[in-house]
Amino acid sequence: MPDADDRVPVRLGVNGRARTLRVRPTQTLLDALREQLRLHGARSGCGVGMCGACTVLLDGRAASGCLTLAALCDGTEVRTVEGLESPSGELSRVQEAFLRHRAFQCSYCTSGFVLALEALLAVDPAPGETAIREAFSGHICRCGSYSRIMGAALEVAGAADRREQA
């Protein structure tokens, strides 16, 4: 039920912590994460779900935060790039591979690519190049770091030695 400010309560698990937000019915998950929780890893890019900069994991699946209404996420588990590191501060193996391959320049798109790969690896621990490319469809790197991004992804997937020919 909306309150006097026309906001509704939403209970989320965010990066492993229970959170309750009060959101406008039309507020996107991206805006709620950035404005209320100060989680800025998901970025606002195109605003229409075509660039991947706003990618978050919703119950383990990659989703566009700019298209997802926060009010509809009640009871879901949200993971952002900030939630990938271990409790001791170690980066995920995907993040480490991105660093090794220098798979970023401006880094605006990086969290979206990282989360898309994390989601893919959760359902397919050894995806091939075609599956990786499909997971990355809808993600745009404005700097053109695609070959480095793909190199990092293939390494993590263990597919670097079985790269498919286009």
Side-chain angles (χ1 to χ4, degrees), residues 1 18 24-25 32 39 46 50 57 61 65-67 71 90 104 109 124 127 142-144 147 149 151 165:
M1 188 78 166
R24 296 178 311 279
L39 295 171
C46 67
M50 305 259 322
L57 300 182
R61 298 183 61 179
C66 75
L67 295 180
E90 294 177 22
F104 52 86
C109 67
D124 183 356
R142 290 145 184 88
C143 300
S147 63
I149 292 167
Q165 298 299 316

PDB file of all heavy atoms in Angstrom, residues 1 18 24-25 32 39 46 50 57 61 65-67 71 90 104 109 124 127 142-144 147 149 151 165:
ATOM      1  N   MET A   1       0.834  -1.174   0.000  1.00  0.00           N
ATOM      2  CA  MET A   1       0.000   0.000   0.000  1.00  0.00           C
ATOM      3  C   MET A   1       0.884   1.245   0.000  1.00  0.00           C
ATOM      4  O   MET A   1       1.780   1.358   0.827  1.00  0.00           O
ATOM      5  CB  MET A   1      -0.886  -0.045   1.243  1.00  0.00           C
ATOM      6  CG  MET A   1      -1.924   0.996   1.281  1.00  0.00           C
ATOM      7  SD  MET A   1      -3.234   0.474   0.186  1.00  0.00           S
ATOM      8  CE  MET A   1      -4.504   1.543   0.640  1.00  0.00           C
ATOM      9  N   ALA A  18      19.700  -8.224   3.974  1.00  0.00           N
ATOM     10  CA  ALA A  18      18.276  -7.907   3.885  1.00  0.00           C
ATOM     11  C   ALA A  18      18.107  -6.391   3.928  1.00  0.00           C
ATOM     12  O   ALA A  18      18.691  -5.724   4.791  1.00  0.00           O
ATOM     13  CB  ALA A  18      17.519  -8.554   5.044  1.00  0.00           C
ATOM     14  N   ARG A  24       8.979   4.587  -5.297  1.00  0.00           N
ATOM     15  CA  ARG A  24       7.830   5.027  -6.083  1.00  0.00           C
ATOM     16  C   ARG A  24       7.414   3.877  -6.998  1.00  0.00           C
ATOM     17  O   ARG A  24       8.273   3.112  -7.453  1.00  0.00           O
ATOM     18  CB  ARG A  24       8.202   6.250  -6.926  1.00  0.00           C
ATOM     19  CG  ARG A  24       8.573   7.484  -6.105  1.00  0.00           C
ATOM     20  CD  ARG A  24       8.989   8.653  -6.987  1.00  0.00           C
ATOM     21  NE  ARG A  24       9.966   8.327  -8.017  1.00  0.00           N
ATOM     22  CZ  ARG A  24      11.291   8.227  -7.812  1.00  0.00           C
ATOM     23  NH1 ARG A  24      11.797   8.412  -6.615  1.00  0.00           N
ATOM     24  NH2 ARG A  24      12.089   7.932  -8.806  1.00  0.00           N
ATOM     25  N   PRO A  25       6.154   3.726  -7.293  1.00  0.00           N
ATOM     26  CA  PRO A  25       5.720   2.624  -8.160  1.00  0.00           C
ATOM     27  C   PRO A  25       6.395   2.617  -9.534  1.00  0.00           C
ATOM     28  O   PRO A  25       6.531   1.554 -10.136  1.00  0.00           O
ATOM     29  CB  PRO A  25       4.214   2.847  -8.285  1.00  0.00           C
ATOM     30  CG  PRO A  25       3.834   3.584  -7.046  1.00  0.00           C
ATOM     31  CD  PRO A  25       5.020   4.477  -6.742  1.00  0.00           C
ATOM     32  N   ALA A  32      16.762   2.933  -7.677  1.00  0.00           N
ATOM     33  CA  ALA A  32      16.671   2.618  -6.246  1.00  0.00           C
ATOM     34  C   ALA A  32      18.036   2.199  -5.697  1.00  0.00           C
ATOM     35  O   ALA A  32      18.435   2.646  -4.618  1.00  0.00           O
ATOM     36  CB  ALA A  32      15.639   1.520  -6.013  1.00  0.00           C
ATOM     37  N   LEU A  39      24.774   2.232  -4.360  1.00  0.00           N
ATOM     38  CA  LEU A  39      25.510   1.209  -5.107  1.00  0.00           C
ATOM     39  C   LEU A  39      25.604   1.705  -6.544  1.00  0.00           C
ATOM     40  O   LEU A  39      24.616   1.712  -7.273  1.00  0.00           O
ATOM     41  CB  LEU A  39      24.790  -0.141  -5.023  1.00  0.00           C
ATOM     42  CG  LEU A  39      24.728  -0.746  -3.633  1.00  0.00           C
ATOM     43  CD1 LEU A  39      23.813  -1.965  -3.609  1.00  0.00           C
ATOM     44  CD2 LEU A  39      26.122  -1.101  -3.135  1.00  0.00           C
ATOM     45  N   CYS A  46      21.837   3.608 -21.741  1.00  0.00           N
ATOM     46  CA  CYS A  46      20.847   3.955 -22.764  1.00  0.00           C
ATOM     47  C   CYS A  46      19.454   4.205 -22.195  1.00  0.00           C
ATOM     48  O   CYS A  46      18.654   4.903 -22.797  1.00  0.00           O
ATOM     49  CB  CYS A  46      20.777   2.849 -23.812  1.00  0.00           C
ATOM     50  SG  CYS A  46      20.111   1.291 -23.166  1.00  0.00           S
ATOM     51  N   MET A  50      19.324  -1.674 -23.775  1.00  0.00           N
ATOM     52  CA  MET A  50      20.041  -2.103 -24.969  1.00  0.00           C
ATOM     53  C   MET A  50      21.567  -2.094 -24.818  1.00  0.00           C
ATOM     54  O   MET A  50      22.260  -2.600 -25.690  1.00  0.00           O
ATOM     55  CB  MET A  50      19.677  -1.201 -26.153  1.00  0.00           C
ATOM     56  CG  MET A  50      18.205  -1.130 -26.407  1.00  0.00           C
ATOM     57  SD  MET A  50      17.539  -2.105 -27.727  1.00  0.00           S
ATOM     58  CE  MET A  50      18.680  -2.076 -29.014  1.00  0.00           C
ATOM     59  N   LEU A  57      22.094  -8.865 -11.122  1.00  0.00           N
ATOM     60  CA  LEU A  57      21.583 -10.232 -11.054  1.00  0.00           C
ATOM     61  C   LEU A  57      20.351 -10.232 -10.177  1.00  0.00           C
ATOM     62  O   LEU A  57      20.393  -9.765  -9.030  1.00  0.00           O
ATOM     63  CB  LEU A  57      22.637 -11.185 -10.491  1.00  0.00           C
ATOM     64  CG  LEU A  57      23.944 -11.277 -11.273  1.00  0.00           C
ATOM     65  CD1 LEU A  57      24.879 -12.295 -10.615  1.00  0.00           C
ATOM     66  CD2 LEU A  57      23.696 -11.630 -12.721  1.00  0.00           C
ATOM     67  N   ARG A  61      19.914 -14.343 -12.177  1.00  0.00           N
ATOM     68  CA  ARG A  61      19.799 -14.141 -13.627  1.00  0.00           C
ATOM     69  C   ARG A  61      20.096 -12.688 -13.975  1.00  0.00           C
ATOM     70  O   ARG A  61      19.659 -11.767 -13.274  1.00  0.00           O
ATOM     71  CB  ARG A  61      18.401 -14.511 -14.093  1.00  0.00           C
ATOM     72  CG  ARG A  61      18.090 -15.989 -13.832  1.00  0.00           C
ATOM     73  CD  ARG A  61      16.763 -16.382 -14.353  1.00  0.00           C
ATOM     74  NE  ARG A  61      16.781 -16.158 -15.809  1.00  0.00           N
ATOM     75  CZ  ARG A  61      15.780 -16.412 -16.596  1.00  0.00           C
ATOM     76  NH1 ARG A  61      14.661 -16.892 -16.113  1.00  0.00           N
ATOM     77  NH2 ARG A  61      15.867 -16.194 -17.890  1.00  0.00           N
ATOM     78  N   GLY A  65      18.633  -3.334 -15.013  1.00  0.00           N
ATOM     79  CA  GLY A  65      18.112  -2.549 -13.899  1.00  0.00           C
ATOM     80  C   GLY A  65      17.304  -1.350 -14.348  1.00  0.00           C
ATOM     81  O   GLY A  65      16.404  -0.905 -13.630  1.00  0.00           O
ATOM     82  N   CYS A  66      17.575  -0.844 -15.554  1.00  0.00           N
ATOM     83  CA  CYS A  66      16.843   0.328 -16.047  1.00  0.00           C
ATOM     84  C   CYS A  66      15.443  -0.026 -16.522  1.00  0.00           C
ATOM     85  O   CYS A  66      14.602   0.860 -16.671  1.00  0.00           O
ATOM     86  CB  CYS A  66      17.621   1.028 -17.159  1.00  0.00           C
ATOM     87  SG  CYS A  66      17.604   0.174 -18.752  1.00  0.00           S
ATOM     88  N   LEU A  67      15.171  -1.288 -16.774  1.00  0.00           N
ATOM     89  CA  LEU A  67      13.852  -1.721 -17.234  1.00  0.00           C
ATOM     90  C   LEU A  67      13.033  -2.390 -16.141  1.00  0.00           C
ATOM     91  O   LEU A  67      11.847  -2.652 -16.325  1.00  0.00           O
ATOM     92  CB  LEU A  67      13.986  -2.705 -18.403  1.00  0.00           C
ATOM     93  CG  LEU A  67      14.579  -2.175 -19.681  1.00  0.00           C
ATOM     94  CD1 LEU A  67      14.643  -3.291 -20.726  1.00  0.00           C
ATOM     95  CD2 LEU A  67      13.786  -0.992 -20.205  1.00  0.00           C
ATOM     96  N   ALA A  71       9.504  -1.828  -7.465  1.00  0.00           N
ATOM     97  CA  ALA A  71       8.323  -2.270  -6.718  1.00  0.00           C
ATOM     98  C   ALA A  71       7.949  -3.711  -7.041  1.00  0.00           C
ATOM     99  O   ALA A  71       7.308  -4.381  -6.229  1.00  0.00           O
ATOM    100  CB  ALA A  71       7.146  -1.340  -7.015  1.00  0.00           C
ATOM    101  N   GLU A  90      38.472 -10.535  -1.544  1.00  0.00           N
ATOM    102  CA  GLU A  90      39.020 -11.071  -2.793  1.00  0.00           C
ATOM    103  C   GLU A  90      38.003 -10.909  -3.916  1.00  0.00           C
ATOM    104  O   GLU A  90      36.815 -11.124  -3.724  1.00  0.00           O
ATOM    105  CB  GLU A  90      39.370 -12.547  -2.632  1.00  0.00           C
ATOM    106  CG  GLU A  90      40.500 -12.788  -1.664  1.00  0.00           C
ATOM    107  CD  GLU A  90      40.772 -14.271  -1.465  1.00  0.00           C
ATOM    108  OE1 GLU A  90      40.393 -15.082  -2.344  1.00  0.00           O
ATOM    109  OE2 GLU A  90      41.337 -14.606  -0.425  1.00  0.00           O
ATOM    110  N   PHE A 104      38.955  -3.692 -20.070  1.00  0.00           N
ATOM    111  CA  PHE A 104      38.225  -2.451 -19.814  1.00  0.00           C
ATOM    112  C   PHE A 104      39.114  -1.292 -20.242  1.00  0.00           C
ATOM    113  O   PHE A 104      40.324  -1.433 -20.345  1.00  0.00           O
ATOM    114  CB  PHE A 104      37.882  -2.311 -18.328  1.00  0.00           C
ATOM    115  CG  PHE A 104      39.075  -2.476 -17.433  1.00  0.00           C
ATOM    116  CD1 PHE A 104      39.894  -1.397 -17.131  1.00  0.00           C
ATOM    117  CD2 PHE A 104      39.418  -3.717 -16.930  1.00  0.00           C
ATOM    118  CE1 PHE A 104      41.016  -1.553 -16.328  1.00  0.00           C
ATOM    119  CE2 PHE A 104      40.533  -3.884 -16.119  1.00  0.00           C
ATOM    120  CZ  PHE A 104      41.332  -2.802 -15.824  1.00  0.00           C
ATOM    121  N   CYS A 109      31.160  -0.044 -18.968  1.00  0.00           N
ATOM    122  CA  CYS A 109      30.398  -1.257 -19.287  1.00  0.00           C
ATOM    123  C   CYS A 109      30.831  -2.469 -18.485  1.00  0.00           C
ATOM    124  O   CYS A 109      30.148  -3.495 -18.488  1.00  0.00           O
ATOM    125  CB  CYS A 109      30.563  -1.581 -20.772  1.00  0.00           C
ATOM    126  SG  CYS A 109      32.254  -2.084 -21.203  1.00  0.00           S
ATOM    127  N   ASP A 124      26.076 -22.667 -16.611  1.00  0.00           N
ATOM    128  CA  ASP A 124      26.950 -23.439 -17.506  1.00  0.00           C
ATOM    129  C   ASP A 124      28.394 -23.140 -17.121  1.00  0.00           C
ATOM    130  O   ASP A 124      28.956 -22.138 -17.558  1.00  0.00           O
ATOM    131  CB  ASP A 124      26.693 -23.057 -18.969  1.00  0.00           C
ATOM    132  CG  ASP A 124      27.517 -23.869 -19.955  1.00  0.00           C
ATOM    133  OD1 ASP A 124      28.361 -24.687 -19.519  1.00  0.00           O
ATOM    134  OD2 ASP A 124      27.327 -23.675 -21.168  1.00  0.00           O
ATOM    135  N   PRO A 127      31.028 -22.737 -20.554  1.00  0.00           N
ATOM    136  CA  PRO A 127      30.372 -22.364 -21.809  1.00  0.00           C
ATOM    137  C   PRO A 127      31.386 -22.179 -22.931  1.00  0.00           C
ATOM    138  O   PRO A 127      32.538 -21.826 -22.694  1.00  0.00           O
ATOM    139  CB  PRO A 127      29.697 -21.040 -21.472  1.00  0.00           C
ATOM    140  CG  PRO A 127      30.574 -20.451 -20.413  1.00  0.00           C
ATOM    141  CD  PRO A 127      31.054 -21.631 -19.611  1.00  0.00           C
ATOM    142  N   ARG A 142      31.762   0.932 -25.307  1.00  0.00           N
ATOM    143  CA  ARG A 142      31.996   2.130 -26.106  1.00  0.00           C
ATOM    144  C   ARG A 142      33.470   2.305 -26.486  1.00  0.00           C
ATOM    145  O   ARG A 142      33.792   2.983 -27.441  1.00  0.00           O
ATOM    146  CB  ARG A 142      31.486   3.356 -25.354  1.00  0.00           C
ATOM    147  CG  ARG A 142      29.979   3.399 -25.262  1.00  0.00           C
ATOM    148  CD  ARG A 142      29.532   3.999 -23.930  1.00  0.00           C
ATOM    149  NE  ARG A 142      28.084   3.969 -23.774  1.00  0.00           N
ATOM    150  CZ  ARG A 142      27.419   2.946 -23.266  1.00  0.00           C
ATOM    151  NH1 ARG A 142      28.052   1.850 -22.901  1.00  0.00           N
ATOM    152  NH2 ARG A 142      26.116   3.001 -23.132  1.00  0.00           N
ATOM    153  N   CYS A 143      34.365   1.694 -25.722  1.00  0.00           N
ATOM    154  CA  CYS A 143      35.794   1.826 -25.978  1.00  0.00           C
ATOM    155  C   CYS A 143      36.326   0.771 -26.942  1.00  0.00           C
ATOM    156  O   CYS A 143      37.472   0.862 -27.378  1.00  0.00           O
ATOM    157  CB  CYS A 143      36.573   1.727 -24.669  1.00  0.00           C
ATOM    158  SG  CYS A 143      36.141   2.984 -23.472  1.00  0.00           S
ATOM    159  N   GLY A 144      35.540  -0.235 -27.233  1.00  0.00           N
ATOM    160  CA  GLY A 144      35.970  -1.269 -28.162  1.00  0.00           C
ATOM    161  C   GLY A 144      36.888  -2.322 -27.572  1.00  0.00           C
ATOM    162  O   GLY A 144      37.734  -2.876 -28.259  1.00  0.00           O
ATOM    163  N   SER A 147      37.725  -7.649 -27.731  1.00  0.00           N
ATOM    164  CA  SER A 147      38.637  -8.795 -27.804  1.00  0.00           C
ATOM    165  C   SER A 147      39.219  -9.127 -26.433  1.00  0.00           C
ATOM    166  O   SER A 147      39.388 -10.297 -26.093  1.00  0.00           O
ATOM    167  CB  SER A 147      39.747  -8.551 -28.830  1.00  0.00           C
ATOM    168  OG  SER A 147      40.537  -7.446 -28.438  1.00  0.00           O
ATOM    169  N   ILE A 149      37.695  -8.425 -23.537  1.00  0.00           N
ATOM    170  CA  ILE A 149      36.560  -8.943 -22.761  1.00  0.00           C
ATOM    171  C   ILE A 149      36.343 -10.410 -23.100  1.00  0.00           C
ATOM    172  O   ILE A 149      36.179 -11.254 -22.205  1.00  0.00           O
ATOM    173  CB  ILE A 149      35.295  -8.099 -23.028  1.00  0.00           C
ATOM    174  CG1 ILE A 149      35.461  -6.695 -22.436  1.00  0.00           C
ATOM    175  CG2 ILE A 149      34.042  -8.789 -22.485  1.00  0.00           C
ATOM    176  CD1 ILE A 149      34.416  -5.691 -22.897  1.00  0.00           C
ATOM    177  N   GLY A 151      38.533 -12.481 -24.361  1.00  0.00           N
ATOM    178  CA  GLY A 151      39.684 -13.237 -23.863  1.00  0.00           C
ATOM    179  C   GLY A 151      39.538 -13.586 -22.395  1.00  0.00           C
ATOM    180  O   GLY A 151      39.802 -14.716 -21.982  1.00  0.00           O
ATOM    181  N   GLN A 165      35.523 -20.752 -34.483  1.00  0.00           N
ATOM    182  CA  GLN A 165      35.775 -19.929 -35.662  1.00  0.00           C
ATOM    183  C   GLN A 165      34.471 -19.309 -36.127  1.00  0.00           C
ATOM    184  O   GLN A 165      33.460 -19.971 -36.215  1.00  0.00           O
ATOM    185  CB  GLN A 165      36.384 -20.763 -36.801  1.00  0.00           C
ATOM    186  CG  GLN A 165      37.710 -21.361 -36.459  1.00  0.00           C
ATOM    187  CD  GLN A 165      38.762 -20.319 -36.145  1.00  0.00           C
ATOM    188  OE1 GLN A 165      38.866 -19.328 -36.849  1.00  0.00           O
ATOM    189  NE2 GLN A 165      39.518 -20.534 -35.079  1.00  0.00           N
TER     190      GLN A 165
END
